[in-house]
Amino acid sequence: MRLNVKTIYALCRRFDHCSQHRFNLRYLSTVELSEQQKNKLESGTVKRQALKKLLDGPQLKDFITKPQYELASEDVPYLDNTNFGHHRKVYFDVHGCQMNVNDTEIVWSILKSHNYLKTDDLEDADIVLVMTCAIREGAETKIWNKLENLKGLRNKKIEKNIKPRMKIGILGCMAERLKEKILEKERTVDIIAGPDSYKDLPRLLAVTENDQIAINVLLSLDETYADIMPVRLNENAVTAFVSIMRGCDNMCTYCIVPFTRGRERSRPVSSIIDELQYLSDQGVKEITLLGQNLKDLRWLNLPVYKTKLGGLRFADLLEKVADVNPEIRIRFTSPHPKDFPDEVLQLIQEKPNICQSLHLPAQSGNSNVLERMRRGYTREAYLELVEHVRQILPNVAISSDFICGFCGETEEEFQDTLSLIEAVKYNTAYLFPYSMREKTTAHRRYQDDVPQYIKQRRLDRMIHLYRGIVKSLNRQKIGQLQLVLVEGYSKRSKLHLAGRNDANIKVIFPIGEIPVQDDSSSCRSIEPGDYIVVQINDSTSQCVGTVSGSG
Ligand code: SAH
Ligand code: SF4
Ligand code: F3S
């Protein structure tokens, strides 16, 4: 019987170790089968038996004449997959959301273990990896401009005869959205890698060594990078992000994320807790749990796609996370305002190290717009939720995202957004003009009919209203004592430190000394990672501080 490529591909998908590389038949020849899998194959169909023959056949090493111990990795790079990097220096240019920051830490961990180095000097880089975002057209325009600059830098290096040629990789959501279309516009790119293919980066980079272009944009149902311990880009930082899920199934009509990050899946609990323990041992003092839609999933000890049964609910997971180290502050983003779980609110009330700040992304204040956006709640339900949250957590800080100028948004509908911002009085808000994305439901179903200048004007009106509210909320903090986690020097002055309070508001204060624990007679300088209590004596719309005009 002939086994065509399509059949091998289908059979290959049945084995776990191939699920990440199912596109690449080369891996078949190096697969080691477990006894269980061998038995499964033996009792299987003719096709399976044919595959077994293929797998039992000669392996790559059988075609190599030198004994393995005499081979250098340059001869056969597949044999020593830890040395792909040859100490080449990688520069990371990170755009987009916190998830991209965390993904870059995963990529850095993978490349570090393959003998690459990291550089913070672009001029010095052998490889530049741009972690991209596709959420709005503006985010992609920034990347195209960046590529122009990188092209200039590479040409300069070629003129100076610097070898090997600097490689440029496009990673993340824009890579996933545009795939090989990126090359139609920009031929300078060597690597295109989507959010689920980072484990393949060492191989992709090896392919580019012969000046070939390497692309892997396959999305996965089970990749959560559970077996990779991310290496933080700034190892001295006292704050860190931990992804607890990937993908999104919500399909809000305006949003590209489900298309760039694939289906929703939760990361195994043990891998989350191990990472938290590791960060705790490293002295990290604040951890933000990340996911596009935190509350619908279940967490087990394996990646889970879509089950609503068994395992831990988000509140159970949050409790476990908070218990890892009560000295570590826990934040999480984003829960969805639809069916917000009460248990999470109770838990925040009970656990002092879970911050009293909630991100409740409203997107619009008008129920018709919310329906067109397919958000699953009305203005009234959202306001009820806010009231309920404030009943249980009277001091909670609430943040949100808003989009203005969505398809068909009238002036009246927009005014409902302004009145919602006014009614809720958000401590933080991220405000965006609508940007239509291909593939989304809105692109198929609606007209992007609000003119650009009106979107801009509505955005300005939202910003103006929001800033006024925050200024007054921050002013109310004057005179209060706030517990602040010190993060480092203030951006503007080495005479001031910056940190954040429980509500995630930036607090600026002068450098100073605090008593040494267990010895009140001696003092030491305040350092990043210290929790200190400060009295607020001034404020702006961005931050509160103990010194006027700093920040
Ligand atoms: N999963 C998160 C959102 C991630 S995207 C959540 O649901 O909260 C971050 C924000 O970008 C969204 O909340 C939304 O306000 C904004 N956004 C998404 N798509 C957009 C688009 N097409 N145009 C403008 N803003 C958009
Ligand atoms: Fe996008 Fe909606 Fe998913 Fe958030 S919940 S990532 S806005 S589809
Ligand atoms: Fe984040 Fe942008 Fe992707 S917001 S999920 S990097 S599209």
Coordinates of all heavy atoms in Angstrom, one line a residue, residues 218-251:
L218 N 1.7 28.2 12.5 CA 0.6 27.3 12.9 C 0.1 27.6 14.3 O 0.9 27.8 15.2 CB 1.2 25.9 12.9 CG 1.2 25.1 11.6 CD1 1.8 23.8 11.7 CD2 -0.2 25.0 11.0
L219 N -1.2 27.6 14.5 CA -1.8 27.8 15.8 C -2.0 26.4 16.4 O -2.2 25.4 15.6 CB -3.1 28.6 15.7 CG -2.9 30.1 15.5 CD1 -4.2 30.8 15.3 CD2 -2.1 30.8 16.6
S220 N -2.0 26.3 17.7 CA -2.1 25.0 18.3 C -3.3 25.0 19.3 O -3.8 26.1 19.8 CB -0.8 24.8 19.1 OG -1.0 23.9 20.2
L221 N -3.9 23.9 19.6 CA -5.0 23.8 20.6 C -4.4 23.5 22.0 O -5.2 23.7 22.9 CB -5.9 22.6 20.2 CG -6.9 22.8 19.0 CD1 -7.7 21.6 18.8 CD2 -7.7 24.0 19.3
D222 N -3.1 23.1 22.1 CA -2.7 22.7 23.4 C -1.4 23.4 23.8 O -0.9 23.2 24.9 CB -2.6 21.2 23.5 CG -1.7 20.6 22.4 OD1 -1.0 21.4 21.7 OD2 -1.6 19.4 22.3
E223 N -0.8 24.2 23.0 CA 0.5 24.8 23.4 C 0.2 25.9 24.4 O -0.5 26.8 24.2 CB 1.2 25.5 22.2 CG 2.5 26.1 22.5 CD 3.5 25.1 23.0 OE1 3.5 24.9 24.2 OE2 4.3 24.6 22.2
T224 N 0.9 25.7 25.6 CA 0.8 26.7 26.7 C 2.2 27.0 27.2 O 2.3 27.8 28.1 CB -0.1 26.3 27.8 OG1 0.5 25.0 28.4 CG2 -1.5 26.0 27.4
Y225 N 3.2 26.5 26.6 CA 4.6 26.6 27.0 C 4.8 26.3 28.4 O 5.6 26.9 29.2 CB 5.1 28.1 26.7 CG 5.0 28.5 25.2 CD1 4.1 29.3 24.7 CD2 6.0 27.9 24.4 CE1 4.0 29.6 23.4 CE2 5.9 28.2 23.0 CZ 4.9 29.1 22.5 OH 4.9 29.4 21.2
A226 N 4.0 25.3 28.9 CA 4.0 24.8 30.3 C 5.4 24.4 30.7 O 5.8 24.5 31.9 CB 3.0 23.8 30.5
D227 N 6.1 23.8 29.8 CA 7.5 23.2 30.1 C 8.6 24.3 30.0 O 9.7 23.9 30.1 CB 7.7 22.0 29.2 CG 7.5 22.3 27.7 OD1 6.8 23.3 27.4 OD2 8.0 21.6 26.9
I228 N 8.3 25.5 29.7 CA 9.3 26.5 29.6 C 9.2 27.5 30.8 O 8.2 28.0 31.0 CB 9.1 27.4 28.3 CG1 8.9 26.5 27.1 CG2 10.2 28.4 28.1 CD1 10.1 26.0 26.4
M229 N 10.3 27.7 31.5 CA 10.3 28.6 32.6 C 10.8 30.0 31.9 O 11.9 30.1 31.5 CB 11.3 28.2 33.7 CG 11.3 29.1 34.9 SD 9.7 29.1 35.8 CE 9.9 27.6 36.7
P230 N 9.9 30.9 31.8 CA 10.3 32.2 31.2 C 11.5 32.8 31.9 O 11.6 32.7 33.1 CB 9.1 33.1 31.3 CG 7.9 32.2 31.6 CD 8.5 31.0 32.3
V231 N 12.4 33.5 31.1 CA 13.5 34.2 31.8 C 13.2 35.7 31.6 O 13.0 36.2 30.5 CB 14.8 33.9 31.1 CG1 16.0 34.7 31.7 CG2 15.1 32.4 31.2
R232 N 13.1 36.4 32.7 CA 12.6 37.8 32.6 C 13.6 38.7 31.9 O 14.8 38.5 32.0 CB 12.3 38.3 34.0 CG 11.0 37.7 34.6 CD 10.7 38.1 36.0 NE 11.8 37.9 36.9 CZ 12.2 38.7 37.8 NH1 11.6 39.9 38.0 NH2 13.2 38.4 38.6
L233 N 13.1 39.6 31.1 CA 14.0 40.5 30.4 C 14.7 41.4 31.3 O 15.9 41.7 31.1 CB 13.1 41.3 29.4 CG 12.3 40.5 28.4 CD1 11.4 41.4 27.5 CD2 13.3 39.7 27.5
N234 N 14.1 41.8 32.4 CA 14.8 42.6 33.4 C 14.8 41.7 34.7 O 13.8 41.7 35.5 CB 14.1 43.9 33.6 CG 14.7 44.7 34.8 OD1 15.6 44.3 35.4 ND2 14.1 45.8 35.1
E235 N 15.9 41.0 34.9 CA 15.9 40.1 36.1 C 15.9 40.8 37.4 O 15.7 40.1 38.4 CB 17.0 39.1 35.9 CG 16.7 38.2 34.7 CD 17.7 37.0 34.6 OE1 17.5 36.0 35.3 OE2 18.6 37.1 33.8
N236 N 16.1 42.1 37.4 CA 16.1 42.8 38.7 C 14.7 43.4 39.1 O 14.5 43.9 40.2 CB 17.1 44.0 38.7 CG 18.5 43.4 38.5 OD1 18.8 42.4 39.0 ND2 19.3 44.2 37.7
A237 N 13.8 43.3 38.1 CA 12.5 43.9 38.4 C 11.8 43.2 39.5 O 11.9 41.9 39.7 CB 11.6 43.8 37.1
V238 N 11.0 43.9 40.3 CA 10.3 43.3 41.4 C 8.9 42.9 41.0 O 8.1 42.3 41.8 CB 10.3 44.2 42.7 CG1 11.7 44.4 43.2 CG2 9.6 45.5 42.4
T239 N 8.5 43.2 39.8 CA 7.2 42.8 39.3 C 7.4 41.8 38.1 O 8.4 41.9 37.4 CB 6.4 44.0 38.8 OG1 7.1 44.6 37.8 CG2 6.1 45.0 39.9
A240 N 6.4 41.0 37.9 CA 6.5 40.0 36.8 C 5.1 39.6 36.3 O 4.1 39.8 37.0 CB 7.2 38.7 37.3
F241 N 5.0 39.1 35.1 CA 3.8 38.7 34.5 C 3.8 37.1 34.4 O 4.9 36.6 34.0 CB 3.6 39.2 33.1 CG 3.5 40.7 33.0 CD1 4.4 41.4 32.2 CD2 2.5 41.4 33.7 CE1 4.4 42.8 32.1 CE2 2.5 42.8 33.6 CZ 3.4 43.5 32.8
V242 N 2.7 36.5 34.6 CA 2.6 35.1 34.5 C 1.3 34.7 33.7 O 0.2 35.1 34.1 CB 2.5 34.3 35.9 CG1 2.2 32.9 35.7 CG2 3.8 34.6 36.6
S243 N 1.5 34.1 32.5 CA 0.3 33.8 31.7 C -0.3 32.5 32.2 O 0.4 31.5 32.5 CB 0.8 33.5 30.2 OG 1.3 34.6 29.6
I244 N -1.6 32.6 32.4 CA -2.3 31.4 32.9 C -3.2 30.7 31.9 O -3.8 29.7 32.1 CB -3.1 31.7 34.2 CG1 -4.1 32.7 34.0 CG2 -2.1 32.1 35.4 CD1 -5.1 32.8 35.2
M245 N -3.3 31.4 30.8 CA -4.1 30.8 29.7 C -3.6 31.4 28.4 O -2.8 32.4 28.4 CB -5.6 31.1 29.8 CG -5.9 32.5 29.8 SD -7.7 32.8 29.6 CE -8.0 32.4 27.9
R246 N -4.0 30.9 27.2 CA -3.7 31.5 25.9 C -4.9 31.5 25.1 O -5.8 30.7 25.3 CB -2.5 30.7 25.2 CG -1.2 30.7 26.0 CD -0.1 30.0 25.3 NE 0.4 30.8 24.1 CZ 1.3 31.8 24.2 NH1 1.8 32.1 25.4 NH2 1.7 32.4 23.1
G247 N -4.9 32.3 24.1 CA -6.0 32.4 23.1 C -7.3 33.0 23.7 O -7.3 33.4 24.8
C248 N -8.3 33.1 22.8 CA -9.6 33.7 23.2 C -10.7 33.1 22.3 O -10.5 33.1 21.1 CB -9.6 35.2 23.2 SG -11.1 35.9 23.8
D249 N -11.8 32.7 22.9 CA -12.9 32.2 22.1 C -14.1 33.2 22.1 O -15.1 32.9 21.6 CB -13.4 30.9 22.7 CG -12.5 29.7 22.4 OD1 -11.5 29.9 21.6 OD2 -12.8 28.6 22.8
N250 N -13.9 34.4 22.7 CA -15.0 35.3 22.9 C -15.6 35.9 21.6 O -16.8 36.1 21.5 CB -14.7 36.4 23.8 CG -15.2 36.1 25.2 OD1 -15.7 35.0 25.4 ND2 -15.1 37.1 26.0
M251 N -14.7 36.1 20.6 CA -15.1 36.6 19.3 C -16.0 37.9 19.4 O -17.0 38.0 18.8 CB -16.0 35.6 18.6 CG -15.2 34.4 18.1 SD -14.1 34.9 16.8 CE -13.4 33.3 16.3

